[in-house]
Amino acid sequence: MKALGPIPAGFTAENGVLVIGGKPVTQWAEEAGTTPLFLYSADRVRARVGELRSAMPDRLALHYAVKANPFAPLVSMMIGLVDGFDIASGGELAIVRAAGVPLDKVSFAGPGKRDAELEAALAAGVTLNLESEGEAARALAIAEKLGVTPRLAIRVNPDFDLKGSGMKMGGGAKPFGIDAERVPALARQIIASGAQWRGFHIFAGSQALDAEAIAQTQGQTLDLAAKLAEEIDHPLPHCNLGGGLGIPYFPGDTPVDLATVGERLGERFAALPEVLRDTAFCIELGRYLVGEAGIYLARIVDRKVSHGEVFLITDGGLHHQLAASGNFGTVVRRNYPSTIATRFGAEVEEEATIVGCLCTPLDKLADKGGFPRAEVGDLVAVFCAGAYGASASPAEFLGQGPAVEILV
Ligand SMILES: *Cc1c(COP(=O)(O)O)cnc(C)c1O
């Protein structure tokens, strides 16, 4: 038997059926009239934001990285919860605009911004996190053509990375950001152009669970911001410290010790150098805000035994849950947390592999996990499905189409 990832704390059952958003999942499936489904709990997102607000220094603003989950009702709900939104494409600009996000609270990072995307963002008053000198030149030219004052920040490719992070986004040669030593020259040029100077965006990595590593990276980020601001010889208006807070997906993973991260950042904020005295700081988080708030629900359509192994075959799969199948940026496949949602909390009775309905051996939701005996018609829940699920999976593969999504 292979271990399953840890189910996020706080989920309960009613008559043995997993509850989310105050209702058993069977009822959500009935109301939707179909499976598979993504269910995102608004209460869980609110609670997570509350935990962050109380652990982090007041001075630290909180941004939502839209790419984690761009579901429109969720983005709309975030307006009242966070201080800013980070987007990574013209498509996400359209999403935040349609959701009613005030566009002066939006910043746009991402390599390979096309001219049309730069134009839409500049016209909307969105802050651009510039990823290269070439992009800076295009942005300045487009702003001049439009007759607008561009709001420009520089994404710095830091000379360190976030230790233990699942996805390294800084340190060494990278397609993201501008190498730190080239930043001062470009910053001076931006300031001299009359643009609105919006400071730095320094993102060193993602999906880290070790509070010490996160705190250390935030410290290095502040040191780098101070050093660069000194060199530019200009006060730094704003600094996006990146994100990095991860969630437990796999067996043995434990949650980030938020209190430690908050205390360490508070100590650093209390001792900032002069050049950062008036700087506004933020962090940008995706999965930490929404990942554990979501579940993916699929129905068992067949139960088979092959060479003595039990296969529970569902109507879902990797076309909605590429990450849980192990095919989204993982080297070794490990099990996400999952359960038989209609037998929640019941004793483990057998080893079973939960698969999707796609004709590929990649389509596994849980490999040789321990579950209560499940039958055709039972519902399977995959947890940690609130981020990088629906929008990060190939929904059109095999003509399957998207899953229904509901904010509950
Ligand atoms: C993807 C991304 C994020 C969000 O990462 P999470 O791991 O979901 O918190 C934040 N900032 C940037 C620049 C990103 O590319």
Side-chain angles (χ1 to χ4, degrees):
M1 223 175 262
K2 293 183 184 171
L4 300 169
I7 294 176
F11 279 103
T12 58
E14 208 175 292
N15 301 321
V17 179
L18 177 67
V19 170
I20 186 167
K23 289 186 205 174
V25 291
T26 42
Q27 200 173 326
W28 288 116
E30 205 170 300
E31 287 177 22
T34 185
T35 46
L37 288 179
F38 281 94
L39 299 168
Y40 310 124
S41 160
D43 283 346
R44 291 188 70 99
V45 175
R46 278 191 213 102
R48 181 47 64 93
V49 170
E51 287 163 26
L52 270 162
R53 296 277 191 202
S54 55
M56 293 295 167
D58 289 343
R59 180 165 179 178
L60 186 71
L62 184 57
H63 287 196
Y64 176 51
V66 173
K67 84 167 189 279
N69 190 331
F71 183 53
L74 183 72
V75 173
S76 291
M77 181 185 83
M78 284 293 185
I79 296 170
L81 294 178
V82 299
D83 309 301
F85 291 77
D86 294 309
I87 59 169
S89 72
E92 288 187 352
L93 173 57
I95 288 169
V96 295
R97 192 196 296 270
V101 171
L103 296 176
D104 60 348
K105 292 186 171 183
V106 177
S107 51
F108 182 2
K113 302 181 191 78
R114 286 163 283 187
D115 284 354
E117 293 174 298
L118 292 173
E119 184 166 332
L122 288 165
V126 164
T127 294
L128 293 176
N129 294 332
L130 298 169
E131 304 265 355
S132 74
E133 288 92 347
E135 189 176 278
R138 287 193 290 133
L140 287 168
I142 291 168
E144 188 164 322
K145 187 188 82 180
L146 293 175
V148 299
T149 302
R151 310 178 79 203
L152 302 178
I154 293 178
R155 178 166 180 181
V156 182
N157 176 24
D159 28 28
F160 51 84
D161 61 20
L162 173 52
K163 293 201 176 46
S165 69
M167 231 170 275
K168 294 195 188 340
M169 306 276 282
K174 289 284 180 302
F176 312 109
I178 297 170
D179 293 352
E181 64 270 19
R182 297 215 304 272
V183 166
L186 181 63
R188 280 188 220 105
Q189 193 191 324
I190 288 168
I191 293 164
S193 77
Q196 191 182 336
W197 170 232
R198 296 292 297 145
F200 302 138
H201 174 215
I202 308 177
F203 185 82
S206 177
Q207 180 50 24
L209 297 172
D210 178 358
E212 285 301 329
I214 295 167
Q216 190 192 336
T217 298
Q218 288 180 336
Q220 286 175 297
T221 303
L222 288 168
D223 291 342
L224 178 60
K227 176 172 158 262
L228 295 173
E230 290 283 0
E231 277 180 56
I232 298 163
D233 198 19
H234 202 274
L236 192 67
H238 190 264
C239 186
N240 179 335
L241 300 173
L245 278 65
I247 60 173
Y249 286 106
F250 301 118
D253 284 355
T254 51
V256 176
D257 174 4
L258 207 54
T260 296
V261 178
E263 277 165 30
R264 296 277 297 276
L265 190 58
E267 288 162 15
R268 291 297 307 246
F269 278 179
L272 287 175
E274 190 57 38
V275 74
L276 300 182
R277 206 43 60 83
D278 298 320
T279 305
F281 294 100
C282 75
I283 49 169
E284 49 176 1
L285 299 174
R287 76 186 81 222
Y288 194 77
L289 297 181
V290 297
E292 291 176 288
I295 65 169
Y296 175 66
L297 206 62
R299 194 176 295 278
I300 297 173
V301 294
D302 204 357
R303 179 191 160 89
K304 291 169 51 167
V305 178
S306 171
H307 291 272
E309 291 186 20
V310 176
F311 288 87
L312 302 171
I313 299 171
T314 69
D315 58 5
L318 72 74
H319 54 298
H320 303 144
Q321 265 300 340
L322 193 63
S325 79
N327 294 293
F328 189 61
T330 32
V331 182
V332 179
R333 192 197 175 286
R334 288 176 294 167
N335 284 324
Y336 263 45
S338 63
T339 192
I340 309 299
T342 36
R343 299 166 194 267
F344 191 62
E347 255 174 61
V348 170
E349 290 168 316
E350 65 179 9
E351 178 184 297
T353 292
I354 301 176
V355 301
C357 54
L358 304 188
C359 238
T360 157
L362 300 177
D363 194 10
K364 261 182 208 167
L365 295 175
D367 187 31
K368 296 182 176 162
F371 297 102
R373 188 189 160 98
E375 304 293 342
V376 170
D378 271 317
L379 294 169
V380 165
V382 177
F383 295 90
C384 296
Y388 306 107
S391 71
S393 303
E396 296 308 321
F397 193 29
L398 278 150
Q400 290 290 340
V404 173
E405 296 174 87
I406 311 175
L407 178 68
V408 302

